[in-house]
Amino acid sequence: MTDEPSVPANYAKTLFDLEGRVAVVTGAGSGLGAAMAIGYAQVGVDVVLADINMEGMEATRATIAEQGGKAEIQKLDVTDRAACFALADKVAASRGHVDILVNSAGSAFRSPAEEFPEEKFNFILDLNLKGTYFCCQAFGGKMLKQGKGSVINIASIGSFTAYPWASAYLASKGGVLQVTKALALEWRDRGVRVNGIGPTLMESPLTKAAGQKTSITADFIKARMLRPRLGLPRELIGTAIFLASDASELVTGHIVMCDDGYMTQ
């Protein structure tokens, strides 16, 4: 029998240590992105908030500051590839490194497929899929030069399964799944891990804005969960910390599901 590899003293205590790392969180002006940005700041991460929602980012930054954390606001339209690369250059120049990217910018639109407007379909694909890909290219490129980094894409239960009135969203999140796997494969030998978080339907301003149209989708989803309720944005923070930390150094190319059992059905 061979000896097991030794475990250094206090090894486990350092696994989740993110103190001093730099994270860029898109969609940080509200919902999931705001919650994860606040969570990172609570554990000592230097957070760059990126969104087109300036008012929302100001609120996120204020919360972080009140809690003793550190955050900077940068306006970013993730569908603008040049803007993504420009911000990556700016963050790398000012911080010297980019350790974590969370691609949380996204949107949804509920409609029966036969009535789905072309402009809404294009908007959802551009924001959710192309925006994620552009940021992966821009910030992932910086990580590749460093030889280390963690990319976390916000996928969905809709990356794997379908539900009513969400055909464009499902198409975009299915694409996010494949982008995550493809980049993890390409970058696995270059120190950059690419994973995703797969939430169930979450409480957020976007969900509330959709009103009755969301309730049709929500009823379908909640009936297949262990607890019939929407997820809370703060319930993704632990997973976001895990995937950004050294605790997940053998994890790449995976979507960690935060779905309250939905995918077991």
Side-chain angles (χ1 to χ4, degrees):
M1 184 175 69
T2 60
D3 292 335
E4 291 293 327
S6 62
V7 179
N10 297 317
Y11 173 72
K13 290 184 179 180
T14 68
L15 285 178
F16 295 94
D17 183 9
L18 296 178
E19 186 77 33
R21 298 194 191 183
V22 176
V24 176
V25 181
T26 72
S30 65
L32 313 186
M36 288 182 284
I38 293 167
Y40 279 141
Q42 288 178 351
V43 295
V45 176
D46 179 2
V47 184
V48 178
L49 312 174
D51 204 325
I52 59 171
N53 179 1
M54 295 297 292
E55 183 178 354
M57 284 196 292
E58 288 289 358
T60 302
R61 180 168 65 175
T63 298
I64 289 172
E66 288 169 4
Q67 297 179 359
K70 185 178 179 182
E72 172 189 341
I73 287 176
Q74 291 290 339
K75 189 172 184 179
L76 177 67
D77 177 358
V78 298
T79 68
D80 183 339
R81 185 175 184 271
C84 295
F85 276 81
L87 182 56
D89 288 341
K90 183 174 183 178
V91 174
S94 64
R95 302 301 202 284
H97 53 100
V98 183
D99 306 297
I100 304 157
L101 168 67
V102 179
N103 281 309
S104 187
S107 188
F109 183 78
R110 313 294 182 196
S111 172
E114 69 274 14
E115 301 172 5
F116 214 101
E118 180 180 2
E119 67 276 11
K120 290 293 186 181
F121 188 91
N122 290 338
F123 172 74
I124 297 301
L125 268 290
D126 285 348
L127 179 57
N128 295 3
L129 181 54
K130 289 172 67 176
T132 293
Y133 190 72
F134 292 160
C135 286
C136 284
Q137 288 182 308
F139 292 95
K142 300 300 181 186
M143 295 176 183
L144 291 169
K145 290 180 180 178
Q146 298 167 181
K148 187 173 184 180
S150 176
V151 174
I152 303 168
N153 297 325
I154 301 304
S156 168
I157 56 174
S159 298
F160 300 91
T161 186
Y163 43 81
W165 285 35
S167 51
Y169 181 82
L170 298 173
S172 71
K173 292 301 183 177
V176 168
L177 165 65
Q178 292 300 334
V179 164
T180 300
K181 291 175 128 183
L183 298 186
L185 180 64
E186 290 189 31
W187 296 349
R188 63 183 181 181
D189 297 326
R190 301 170 69 186
V192 178
R193 298 183 297 109
V194 187
N195 291 291
I197 298 175
T200 184
L201 190 63
M202 307 291 286
E203 287 191 6
S204 70
L206 179 66
T207 303
K208 292 177 182 177
Q212 179 64 27
K213 291 182 178 179
T214 289
S215 71
I216 294 171
T217 302
D219 289 346
F220 180 89
I221 292 172
K222 287 191 291 185
R224 290 158 177 80
M225 293 170 62
L226 298 180
R227 294 170 294 179
R229 66 169 177 84
L230 302 186
L232 303 175
R234 67 172 180 264
E235 292 176 311
L236 302 187
I237 292 174
T239 306
I241 289 172
F242 168 69
L243 290 175
S245 73
D246 294 343
S248 61
E249 63 181 348
L250 288 182
V251 181
T252 193
H254 293 282
I255 306 297
V256 179
M257 301 306 296
C258 297
D259 63 348
D260 198 38
Y262 179 91
M263 294 299 293
T264 65
Q265 304 303 305

